[in-house]
Amino acid sequence: MATASAPESSLLSLLYRSYPTVISPDATELDLAHATPKIFSQNSYTEAEQADAKQWLEAVRGLTAGLAKDDKQVVDTILGTFNTHLSTRTTFLGAKPSVADIAAYAVIGPLVEKWTPEERTGEKGYHYIVRHIDFVQNGSVFGLRIPDEEKISIDLDDVRFVPKPADPKEEKERKKKEKAEAIAAGQEKTMVVGQTKGNKVNDPVHEAPTTTTEEAPAASKKDKQKKEKKEKKEKAPKPPPAPAAPPSPSLIDLRVGHILRAINHPNADSLFVSTIDCGDALGSDNTSVDEATGKTVRTVCSGLNGLVPLEEMQNRKVVVVCNLKPVTMRGIKSAAMVLAASPKVAEGEDSHGGPVELATPPADAAAGERVFFEGWSSGEPEKQLNPKKKVWETFQPGFTTTDSLEVAFESAQIPVLQGAEATAAAPAVGKLVTQAGGVCTVKSLKGAAVR
Protein backbone atom coordinates (compact mmCIF):
# COMPACT_ATOMS: atom_id res chain seq x y z
CA MET A 1 0.00 0.00 0.00
CA ALA A 2 1.41 3.41 -0.95
CA THR A 3 0.47 5.08 2.33
CA ALA A 4 2.35 2.63 4.50
CA SER A 5 5.65 4.45 4.81
CA ALA A 6 4.89 8.16 4.99
CA PRO A 7 1.25 9.10 5.71
CA GLU A 8 1.62 12.88 5.18
CA SER A 9 3.40 12.71 1.84
CA SER A 10 1.13 9.90 0.69
CA LEU A 11 -1.93 11.97 1.63
CA LEU A 12 -0.70 14.93 -0.44
CA SER A 13 0.06 12.62 -3.36
CA LEU A 14 -3.39 11.04 -3.09
CA LEU A 15 -5.11 14.43 -3.04
CA TYR A 16 -3.09 15.70 -6.05
CA ARG A 17 -3.91 12.57 -8.02
CA SER A 18 -7.61 12.54 -7.13
CA TYR A 19 -8.45 16.24 -7.34
CA PRO A 20 -6.09 17.78 -9.94
CA THR A 21 -8.41 20.72 -10.67
CA VAL A 22 -8.44 21.75 -7.00
CA ILE A 23 -5.00 20.74 -5.67
CA SER A 24 -1.98 22.13 -7.51
CA PRO A 25 0.77 19.57 -8.13
CA ASP A 26 3.30 22.35 -7.54
CA ALA A 27 2.22 22.89 -3.92
CA THR A 28 4.59 21.57 -1.28
CA GLU A 29 2.11 21.76 1.59
CA LEU A 30 -1.65 21.95 1.88
CA ASP A 31 -4.01 23.84 4.16
CA LEU A 32 -6.10 20.79 5.05
CA ALA A 33 -8.31 22.72 7.48
CA HIS A 34 -9.80 24.76 4.60
CA ALA A 35 -9.58 22.17 1.83
CA THR A 36 -12.88 20.35 2.40
CA PRO A 37 -15.26 22.96 0.81
CA LYS A 38 -12.91 23.30 -2.18
CA ILE A 39 -12.60 19.60 -2.87
CA PHE A 40 -16.26 18.73 -2.18
CA SER A 41 -17.79 21.86 -3.69
CA GLN A 42 -21.06 20.05 -4.42
CA ASN A 43 -21.78 20.10 -0.68
CA SER A 44 -22.35 23.09 1.58
CA TYR A 45 -20.58 23.12 4.94
CA THR A 46 -21.62 25.15 7.95
CA GLU A 47 -19.06 26.80 10.18
CA ALA A 48 -19.76 24.12 12.80
CA GLU A 49 -19.11 21.32 10.29
CA GLN A 50 -15.86 22.93 9.17
CA ALA A 51 -14.83 23.24 12.81
CA ASP A 52 -15.64 19.55 13.35
CA ALA A 53 -13.59 18.58 10.30
CA LYS A 54 -10.67 20.59 11.67
CA GLN A 55 -11.03 18.87 15.06
CA TRP A 56 -10.95 15.41 13.46
CA LEU A 57 -7.90 16.40 11.45
CA GLU A 58 -6.18 17.30 14.73
CA ALA A 59 -7.13 13.86 16.08
CA VAL A 60 -5.58 12.24 12.99
CA ARG A 61 -2.40 14.25 13.59
CA GLY A 62 -2.44 13.03 17.20
CA LEU A 63 -2.71 9.45 15.97
CA THR A 64 0.21 10.04 13.59
CA ALA A 65 2.33 11.35 16.48
CA GLY A 66 1.33 8.41 18.68
CA LEU A 67 2.34 5.95 15.97
CA ALA A 68 5.67 7.71 15.49
CA LYS A 69 6.42 7.43 19.23
CA ASP A 70 5.00 3.90 19.39
CA ASP A 71 2.71 5.10 22.21
CA LYS A 72 0.21 2.23 22.37
CA GLN A 73 -2.04 3.92 24.92
CA VAL A 74 -2.48 7.05 22.78
CA VAL A 75 -3.01 4.99 19.62
CA ASP A 76 -5.61 2.71 21.25
CA THR A 77 -7.46 5.67 22.76
CA ILE A 78 -7.72 7.56 19.47
CA LEU A 79 -8.70 4.45 17.50
CA GLY A 80 -11.38 3.69 20.10
CA THR A 81 -12.71 7.24 19.76
CA PHE A 82 -12.83 6.95 15.97
CA ASN A 83 -14.55 3.54 16.11
CA THR A 84 -17.23 4.73 18.56
CA HIS A 85 -17.88 7.92 16.59
CA LEU A 86 -18.24 6.06 13.29
CA SER A 87 -20.62 3.50 14.80
CA THR A 88 -23.49 5.96 14.22
CA ARG A 89 -22.11 7.86 11.23
CA THR A 90 -21.04 7.13 7.67
CA THR A 91 -18.31 9.78 7.72
CA PHE A 92 -16.71 11.93 10.42
CA LEU A 93 -19.25 14.67 9.67
CA GLY A 94 -22.18 12.27 9.60
CA ALA A 95 -22.92 11.78 5.91
CA LYS A 96 -20.86 14.50 4.18
CA PRO A 97 -17.32 13.72 3.02
CA SER A 98 -14.36 15.73 4.31
CA VAL A 99 -10.58 15.79 4.06
CA ALA A 100 -10.54 14.38 7.61
CA ASP A 101 -11.90 11.10 6.23
CA ILE A 102 -9.16 10.93 3.61
CA ALA A 103 -6.47 11.86 6.14
CA ALA A 104 -7.71 9.10 8.47
CA TYR A 105 -7.61 6.69 5.53
CA ALA A 106 -4.00 7.63 4.79
CA VAL A 107 -2.91 7.05 8.40
CA ILE A 108 -5.12 4.15 9.49
CA GLY A 109 -5.14 2.27 6.18
CA PRO A 110 -1.68 0.75 6.66
CA LEU A 111 -2.72 -0.39 10.14
CA VAL A 112 -5.88 -2.09 8.87
CA GLU A 113 -3.84 -3.78 6.17
CA LYS A 114 -1.72 -5.49 8.85
CA TRP A 115 -4.56 -6.30 11.27
CA THR A 116 -5.65 -9.90 11.67
CA PRO A 117 -9.30 -10.79 10.97
CA GLU A 118 -9.85 -10.88 14.75
CA GLU A 119 -8.39 -7.38 15.13
CA ARG A 120 -10.63 -6.17 12.33
CA THR A 121 -14.00 -7.72 13.17
CA GLY A 122 -13.48 -9.76 16.31
CA GLU A 123 -15.30 -9.11 19.57
CA LYS A 124 -12.82 -6.35 20.44
CA GLY A 125 -12.14 -5.36 16.84
CA TYR A 126 -12.60 -2.04 15.08
CA HIS A 127 -15.62 -2.92 12.92
CA TYR A 128 -16.61 0.64 12.11
CA ILE A 129 -13.11 1.82 11.27
CA VAL A 130 -12.73 -1.09 8.83
CA ARG A 131 -16.07 -0.23 7.21
CA HIS A 132 -15.04 3.43 6.99
CA ILE A 133 -11.72 2.58 5.33
CA ASP A 134 -13.50 0.44 2.74
CA PHE A 135 -16.07 3.20 2.13
CA VAL A 136 -13.44 5.92 1.64
CA GLN A 137 -11.35 3.93 -0.84
CA ASN A 138 -14.35 2.72 -2.87
CA GLY A 139 -17.14 5.26 -2.30
CA SER A 140 -18.12 7.41 -5.30
CA VAL A 141 -18.75 10.32 -2.93
CA PHE A 142 -14.96 10.56 -2.44
CA GLY A 143 -13.92 9.58 -5.96
CA LEU A 144 -10.37 8.75 -4.91
CA ARG A 145 -8.11 7.57 -7.71
CA ILE A 146 -6.53 4.55 -6.08
CA PRO A 147 -5.38 1.67 -8.29
CA ASP A 148 -6.91 -1.65 -7.29
CA GLU A 149 -3.50 -3.07 -6.40
CA GLU A 150 -3.00 -0.25 -3.87
CA LYS A 151 -6.38 -0.63 -2.17
CA ILE A 152 -6.58 -2.34 1.18
CA SER A 153 -8.01 -5.82 0.81
CA ILE A 154 -11.13 -6.04 2.98
CA ASP A 155 -13.42 -9.08 2.98
CA LEU A 156 -16.78 -7.68 4.12
CA ASP A 157 -18.13 -11.21 4.52
CA ASP A 158 -15.42 -12.21 7.00
CA VAL A 159 -17.11 -11.04 10.21
CA ARG A 160 -15.87 -12.72 13.38
CA PHE A 161 -18.26 -11.00 15.79
CA VAL A 162 -21.41 -8.92 15.20
CA PRO A 163 -21.68 -6.06 17.71
CA LYS A 164 -25.13 -5.43 19.10
CA PRO A 165 -26.60 -2.03 18.10
CA ALA A 166 -26.74 -0.73 21.66
CA ASP A 167 -24.65 1.58 23.77
CA PRO A 168 -22.17 0.23 26.37
CA LYS A 169 -24.38 1.16 29.33
CA GLU A 170 -27.31 -0.84 27.97
CA GLU A 171 -25.03 -3.81 27.25
CA LYS A 172 -23.69 -3.74 30.83
CA GLU A 173 -27.20 -3.71 32.27
CA ARG A 174 -28.25 -6.58 29.99
CA LYS A 175 -25.35 -8.77 31.13
CA LYS A 176 -26.08 -7.93 34.76
CA LYS A 177 -29.73 -8.92 34.30
CA GLU A 178 -28.84 -12.19 32.54
CA LYS A 179 -26.38 -13.09 35.31
CA ALA A 180 -29.02 -12.52 38.00
CA GLU A 181 -31.55 -14.66 36.08
CA ALA A 182 -28.98 -17.45 35.66
CA ILE A 183 -28.22 -17.47 39.39
CA ALA A 184 -31.93 -17.60 40.23
CA ALA A 185 -32.51 -20.42 37.75
CA GLY A 186 -29.61 -22.39 39.22
CA GLN A 187 -31.00 -22.12 42.76
CA GLU A 188 -34.46 -23.25 41.60
CA LYS A 189 -32.97 -26.26 39.81
CA THR A 190 -31.02 -27.28 42.92
CA MET A 191 -34.16 -27.17 45.04
CA VAL A 192 -36.18 -29.26 42.61
CA VAL A 193 -33.46 -31.89 42.22
CA GLY A 194 -33.02 -32.18 45.97
CA GLN A 195 -36.75 -32.63 46.51
CA THR A 196 -36.99 -35.32 43.85
CA LYS A 197 -34.09 -37.22 45.32
CA GLY A 198 -35.67 -37.14 48.77
CA ASN A 199 -39.00 -38.32 47.46
CA LYS A 200 -37.53 -41.33 45.71
CA VAL A 201 -34.92 -42.49 48.22
CA ASN A 202 -35.52 -41.08 51.71
CA ASP A 203 -39.29 -40.69 51.91
CA PRO A 204 -41.09 -44.04 52.46
CA VAL A 205 -44.43 -42.44 51.59
CA HIS A 206 -43.26 -42.01 47.99
CA GLU A 207 -41.61 -45.38 47.50
CA ALA A 208 -42.54 -47.13 44.27
CA PRO A 209 -45.34 -49.72 44.72
CA THR A 210 -44.37 -53.33 44.23
CA THR A 211 -46.15 -55.74 41.92
CA THR A 212 -46.65 -59.45 42.65
CA THR A 213 -46.01 -62.06 40.03
CA GLU A 214 -49.73 -62.87 39.93
CA GLU A 215 -50.76 -59.22 39.29
CA ALA A 216 -48.29 -58.62 36.47
CA PRO A 217 -49.87 -60.90 33.81
CA ALA A 218 -53.33 -59.48 34.56
CA ALA A 219 -52.09 -55.93 34.10
CA SER A 220 -50.30 -56.89 30.91
CA LYS A 221 -53.46 -58.54 29.48
CA LYS A 222 -55.55 -55.47 30.29
CA ASP A 223 -53.07 -53.16 28.60
CA LYS A 224 -53.10 -55.37 25.51
CA GLN A 225 -56.91 -55.22 25.28
CA LYS A 226 -56.86 -51.42 25.53
CA LYS A 227 -54.24 -51.24 22.80
CA GLU A 228 -56.25 -53.50 20.45
CA LYS A 229 -59.40 -51.51 21.09
CA LYS A 230 -57.56 -48.27 20.32
CA GLU A 231 -56.16 -49.71 17.06
CA LYS A 232 -59.62 -50.83 15.89
CA LYS A 233 -61.11 -47.40 16.48
CA GLU A 234 -61.65 -45.65 13.17
CA LYS A 235 -59.48 -42.65 12.49
CA ALA A 236 -61.29 -39.35 12.13
CA PRO A 237 -61.22 -38.07 8.54
CA LYS A 238 -58.89 -35.15 7.86
CA PRO A 239 -60.64 -31.81 7.43
CA PRO A 240 -60.67 -30.50 3.86
CA PRO A 241 -57.95 -27.94 3.09
CA ALA A 242 -58.94 -24.33 3.57
CA PRO A 243 -59.77 -22.53 0.34
CA ALA A 244 -56.94 -20.43 -1.06
CA ALA A 245 -57.20 -16.74 -0.29
CA PRO A 246 -58.09 -14.62 -3.34
CA PRO A 247 -55.20 -12.62 -4.81
CA SER A 248 -54.93 -9.30 -2.99
CA PRO A 249 -52.29 -6.91 -1.65
CA SER A 250 -53.96 -7.40 1.74
CA LEU A 251 -51.94 -10.63 2.02
CA ILE A 252 -48.95 -8.37 2.74
CA ASP A 253 -48.65 -7.38 6.40
CA LEU A 254 -48.21 -3.59 6.25
CA ARG A 255 -47.98 -1.77 9.57
CA VAL A 256 -46.95 1.49 11.15
CA GLY A 257 -43.45 1.15 12.55
CA HIS A 258 -41.67 3.44 15.01
CA ILE A 259 -37.90 3.58 14.49
CA LEU A 260 -36.45 3.98 17.98
CA ARG A 261 -32.92 4.38 16.64
CA ALA A 262 -30.75 3.51 13.64
CA ILE A 263 -27.01 3.04 13.18
CA ASN A 264 -24.64 2.26 10.34
CA HIS A 265 -24.27 -1.45 9.64
CA PRO A 266 -20.84 -2.41 11.01
CA ASN A 267 -20.02 -4.58 8.00
CA ALA A 268 -21.74 -2.91 5.03
CA ASP A 269 -21.47 0.74 4.03
CA SER A 270 -24.80 0.72 2.15
CA LEU A 271 -26.92 -0.52 5.06
CA PHE A 272 -28.55 0.97 8.13
CA VAL A 273 -29.53 -1.19 11.11
CA SER A 274 -32.75 0.05 12.72
CA THR A 275 -34.50 -0.93 15.95
CA ILE A 276 -38.21 -0.71 15.14
CA ASP A 277 -41.34 -1.07 17.29
CA CYS A 278 -43.85 -2.83 15.00
CA GLY A 279 -46.48 -3.44 17.68
CA ASP A 280 -45.60 -7.13 18.12
CA ALA A 281 -46.68 -9.01 21.24
CA LEU A 282 -44.01 -10.01 23.74
CA GLY A 283 -42.33 -13.25 22.65
CA SER A 284 -43.38 -13.00 18.99
CA ASP A 285 -41.18 -14.62 16.38
CA ASN A 286 -38.20 -12.58 15.14
CA THR A 287 -38.45 -10.01 17.93
CA SER A 288 -36.48 -9.00 21.00
CA VAL A 289 -36.99 -6.72 23.97
CA ASP A 290 -35.37 -3.31 23.69
CA GLU A 291 -33.64 -2.77 27.00
CA ALA A 292 -33.72 1.02 26.81
CA THR A 293 -37.53 1.21 26.41
CA GLY A 294 -38.82 -2.25 27.36
CA LYS A 295 -40.66 -2.47 24.02
CA THR A 296 -40.86 -5.53 21.78
CA VAL A 297 -38.89 -4.65 18.65
CA ARG A 298 -37.54 -5.97 15.39
CA THR A 299 -34.06 -5.44 13.98
CA VAL A 300 -34.28 -4.24 10.38
CA CYS A 301 -31.50 -3.75 7.81
CA SER A 302 -32.24 -1.20 5.08
CA GLY A 303 -30.16 -0.36 2.01
CA LEU A 304 -30.67 3.36 2.56
CA ASN A 305 -27.20 4.43 3.67
CA GLY A 306 -26.09 7.22 1.33
CA LEU A 307 -29.66 7.72 0.11
CA VAL A 308 -31.39 8.86 3.31
CA PRO A 309 -29.48 10.82 6.00
CA LEU A 310 -28.96 8.80 9.16
CA GLU A 311 -30.50 11.58 11.25
CA GLU A 312 -33.79 11.12 9.34
CA MET A 313 -33.87 7.51 10.53
CA GLN A 314 -34.02 8.42 14.23
CA ASN A 315 -37.22 8.34 16.33
CA ARG A 316 -39.68 8.49 13.45
CA LYS A 317 -42.73 6.70 12.06
CA VAL A 318 -42.43 4.60 8.89
CA VAL A 319 -44.38 1.92 7.03
CA VAL A 320 -42.96 -1.58 7.39
CA VAL A 321 -43.58 -4.91 5.68
CA CYS A 322 -43.72 -7.42 8.51
CA ASN A 323 -44.33 -10.83 6.95
CA LEU A 324 -41.46 -11.24 4.52
CA LYS A 325 -39.15 -14.13 5.36
CA PRO A 326 -36.30 -12.81 7.59
CA VAL A 327 -32.91 -12.61 5.90
CA THR A 328 -29.40 -12.27 7.30
CA MET A 329 -27.58 -9.28 5.81
CA ARG A 330 -23.84 -9.24 6.42
CA GLY A 331 -24.14 -11.02 9.75
CA ILE A 332 -27.29 -9.28 11.09
CA LYS A 333 -30.75 -10.83 10.84
CA SER A 334 -33.33 -8.47 9.33
CA ALA A 335 -36.95 -9.18 10.28
CA ALA A 336 -38.91 -6.57 8.29
CA MET A 337 -38.57 -4.04 5.46
CA VAL A 338 -39.01 -0.26 5.48
CA LEU A 339 -41.08 1.10 2.56
CA ALA A 340 -39.50 3.91 0.54
CA ALA A 341 -40.22 5.64 -2.77
CA SER A 342 -37.80 6.28 -5.64
CA PRO A 343 -38.28 7.36 -9.28
CA LYS A 344 -39.41 4.68 -11.69
CA VAL A 345 -36.80 3.62 -14.24
CA ALA A 346 -36.86 1.66 -17.46
CA GLU A 347 -36.43 -2.08 -17.26
CA GLY A 348 -32.81 -3.08 -16.85
CA GLU A 349 -31.66 0.30 -15.51
CA ASP A 350 -30.21 0.86 -12.04
CA SER A 351 -33.08 1.74 -9.68
CA HIS A 352 -30.94 2.46 -6.63
CA GLY A 353 -29.37 5.79 -7.50
CA GLY A 354 -31.90 7.94 -5.67
CA PRO A 355 -33.48 10.19 -4.71
CA VAL A 356 -35.25 8.12 -2.07
CA GLU A 357 -38.03 9.20 0.31
CA LEU A 358 -39.51 7.15 3.16
CA ALA A 359 -43.22 6.37 3.15
CA THR A 360 -44.56 8.26 6.16
CA PRO A 361 -47.78 7.46 8.08
CA PRO A 362 -49.72 10.15 10.00
CA ALA A 363 -47.83 11.46 13.03
CA ASP A 364 -50.54 10.23 15.42
CA ALA A 365 -50.58 6.66 14.06
CA ALA A 366 -49.65 4.06 16.68
CA ALA A 367 -46.82 1.57 16.20
CA GLY A 368 -48.29 -1.72 14.99
CA GLU A 369 -51.44 -0.16 13.54
CA ARG A 370 -52.44 -1.98 10.39
CA VAL A 371 -52.00 -0.15 7.10
CA PHE A 372 -53.87 -1.16 3.93
CA PHE A 373 -54.87 0.13 0.51
CA GLU A 374 -58.41 1.51 0.13
CA GLY A 375 -60.62 -1.14 -1.44
CA TRP A 376 -58.25 -3.94 -0.37
CA SER A 377 -58.84 -4.19 3.37
CA SER A 378 -60.71 -7.51 3.47
CA GLY A 379 -58.85 -10.61 4.58
CA GLU A 380 -55.98 -11.05 6.99
CA PRO A 381 -52.31 -10.88 6.01
CA GLU A 382 -50.47 -14.20 5.92
CA LYS A 383 -48.27 -14.88 8.96
CA GLN A 384 -45.25 -15.23 6.69
CA LEU A 385 -45.21 -14.97 2.93
CA ASN A 386 -43.98 -18.06 1.12
CA PRO A 387 -41.06 -16.92 -1.06
CA LYS A 388 -41.95 -19.56 -3.65
CA LYS A 389 -45.40 -17.99 -4.20
CA LYS A 390 -43.83 -14.56 -4.84
CA VAL A 391 -46.72 -12.63 -3.29
CA TRP A 392 -44.60 -9.54 -2.66
CA GLU A 393 -43.10 -9.64 -6.16
CA THR A 394 -46.59 -9.98 -7.65
CA PHE A 395 -48.16 -6.94 -6.00
CA GLN A 396 -45.23 -4.57 -5.41
CA PRO A 397 -45.23 -3.23 -9.03
CA GLY A 398 -48.60 -1.66 -8.18
CA PHE A 399 -47.17 0.32 -5.25
CA THR A 400 -46.82 3.94 -6.38
CA THR A 401 -47.26 7.59 -5.37
CA THR A 402 -49.90 9.99 -6.68
CA ASP A 403 -49.68 13.60 -7.84
CA SER A 404 -50.92 14.47 -4.35
CA LEU A 405 -47.84 12.70 -2.87
CA GLU A 406 -49.95 9.87 -1.41
CA VAL A 407 -48.72 6.28 -1.34
CA ALA A 408 -51.19 4.18 -3.32
CA PHE A 409 -51.88 0.88 -5.11
CA GLU A 410 -52.64 0.84 -8.83
CA SER A 411 -54.37 -2.46 -9.59
CA ALA A 412 -54.08 -2.01 -13.38
CA GLN A 413 -50.35 -2.73 -13.06
CA ILE A 414 -50.97 -6.23 -11.67
CA PRO A 415 -51.82 -8.86 -14.37
CA VAL A 416 -53.18 -11.40 -11.84
CA LEU A 417 -55.90 -8.95 -10.80
CA GLN A 418 -57.22 -8.24 -14.27
CA GLY A 419 -60.77 -9.57 -14.54
CA ALA A 420 -60.85 -10.58 -10.85
CA GLU A 421 -64.13 -9.96 -9.04
CA ALA A 422 -62.39 -8.16 -6.20
CA THR A 423 -60.77 -5.70 -8.61
CA ALA A 424 -64.11 -4.54 -9.97
CA ALA A 425 -65.20 -3.43 -6.49
CA ALA A 426 -61.91 -1.66 -5.69
CA PRO A 427 -60.87 1.83 -6.86
CA ALA A 428 -58.40 2.02 -9.74
CA VAL A 429 -55.95 3.70 -7.39
CA GLY A 430 -56.38 2.97 -3.67
CA LYS A 431 -54.59 5.16 -1.13
CA LEU A 432 -52.48 3.56 1.61
CA VAL A 433 -54.36 4.36 4.82
CA THR A 434 -54.31 3.45 8.50
CA GLN A 435 -57.26 1.93 10.31
CA ALA A 436 -58.03 5.41 11.63
CA GLY A 437 -58.24 6.74 8.08
CA GLY A 438 -54.95 8.65 7.89
CA VAL A 439 -53.11 8.62 4.56
CA CYS A 440 -49.45 7.63 4.15
CA THR A 441 -47.41 10.11 2.11
CA VAL A 442 -43.98 11.00 0.73
CA LYS A 443 -42.20 14.38 0.61
CA SER A 444 -42.01 15.22 -3.08
CA LEU A 445 -41.83 12.19 -5.41
CA LYS A 446 -44.81 11.85 -7.77
CA GLY A 447 -45.49 8.70 -9.78
CA ALA A 448 -42.66 6.95 -7.98
CA ALA A 449 -42.07 3.25 -7.35
CA VAL A 450 -42.57 2.21 -3.70
CA ARG A 451 -40.70 -0.79 -2.30
Side-chain angles (χ1 to χ4, degrees), residues 70-238:
D70 198 20
D71 191 331
K72 189 176 186 302
Q73 184 176 356
V74 169
V75 171
D76 289 347
T77 299
I78 296 177
L79 288 177
T81 300
F82 285 174
N83 196 61
T84 300
H85 182 74
L86 292 169
S87 68
T88 56
R89 297 164 180 83
T90 303
T91 66
F92 281 114
L93 297 185
K96 296 179 182 178
S98 73
V99 173
D101 296 295
I102 303 174
Y105 172 80
V107 176
I108 303 175
L111 301 179
V112 174
E113 196 166 38
K114 296 176 183 178
W115 285 346
T116 65
E118 192 66 25
E119 289 174 313
R120 291 185 178 193
T121 59
E123 186 171 359
K124 296 182 180 180
Y126 295 108
H127 293 70
Y128 303 103
I129 286 178
V130 174
R131 175 189 54 75
H132 179 258
I133 293 296
D134 185 71
F135 182 49
V136 172
Q137 70 179 1
N138 294 307
S140 59
V141 68
F142 289 98
L144 293 178
R145 296 182 180 179
I146 306 174
D148 289 340
E149 63 271 16
E150 291 187 14
K151 289 183 178 180
I152 299 166
S153 178
I154 296 176
D155 184 357
L156 295 177
D157 292 319
D158 185 7
V159 181
R160 303 303 172 95
F161 177 81
V162 178
K164 181 182 177 182
D167 61 42
K169 184 178 179 181
E170 291 177 355
E171 184 69 5
K172 184 177 180 181
E173 290 297 320
R174 181 186 69 80
K175 290 183 178 179
K176 184 178 179 181
K177 183 179 178 182
E178 287 182 350
K179 185 177 180 180
E181 290 176 349
I183 293 173
Q187 291 174 343
E188 182 180 353
K189 183 177 180 181
T190 301
M191 291 173 62
V192 173
V193 171
Q195 181 184 13
T196 304
K197 185 176 179 180
N199 286 348
K200 286 186 176 180
V201 179
N202 301 324
D203 189 350
V205 177
H206 292 87
E207 289 181 356
T210 57
T211 304
T212 65
T213 53
E214 293 181 0
E215 290 173 332
S220 177
K221 185 177 181 181
K222 189 175 182 181
D223 290 341
K224 186 176 179 181
Q225 290 174 343
K226 285 183 178 180
K227 184 177 180 181
E228 290 175 352
K229 186 176 182 181
K230 186 176 181 181
E231 289 175 350
K232 291 179 180 179
K233 187 176 181 180
E234 294 183 3
K235 295 182 179 179
K238 294 183 179 179

Side-chain angles (χ1 to χ4, degrees), residues 19-48:
Y19 314 113
T21 60
V22 179
I23 308 301
S24 171
D26 299 326
T28 56
E29 51 183 55
L30 180 65
D31 182 8
L32 295 179
H34 299 91
T36 293
K38 297 177 183 178
I39 293 176
F40 304 106
S41 57
Q42 70 275 21
N43 295 307
S44 59
Y45 296 87
T46 65
E47 290 184 6

Side-chain angles (χ1 to χ4, degrees), residues 323 325 382 384-393:
N323 60 346
K325 185 177 180 180
E382 293 187 358
Q384 181 174 296
L385 296 178
N386 186 340
K388 294 182 179 180
K389 294 183 178 180
K390 297 188 178 298
V391 174
W392 168 253
E393 292 80 359

Side-chain angles (χ1 to χ4, degrees), residues 344-397:
K344 292 180 180 178
V345 296
E347 186 177 353
E349 292 184 10
D350 181 11
S351 61
H352 301 290
V356 171
E357 296 177 357
L358 297 174
T360 305
D364 59 352
E369 184 175 353
R370 187 185 174 192
V371 179
F372 55 85
F373 294 103
E374 289 179 329
W376 301 94
S377 60
S378 60
E380 290 295 320
E382 293 187 358
K383 184 176 180 181
Q384 181 174 296
L385 296 178
N386 186 340
K388 294 182 179 180
K389 294 183 178 180
K390 297 188 178 298
V391 174
W392 168 253
E393 292 80 359
T394 297
F395 294 105
Q396 181 277 321

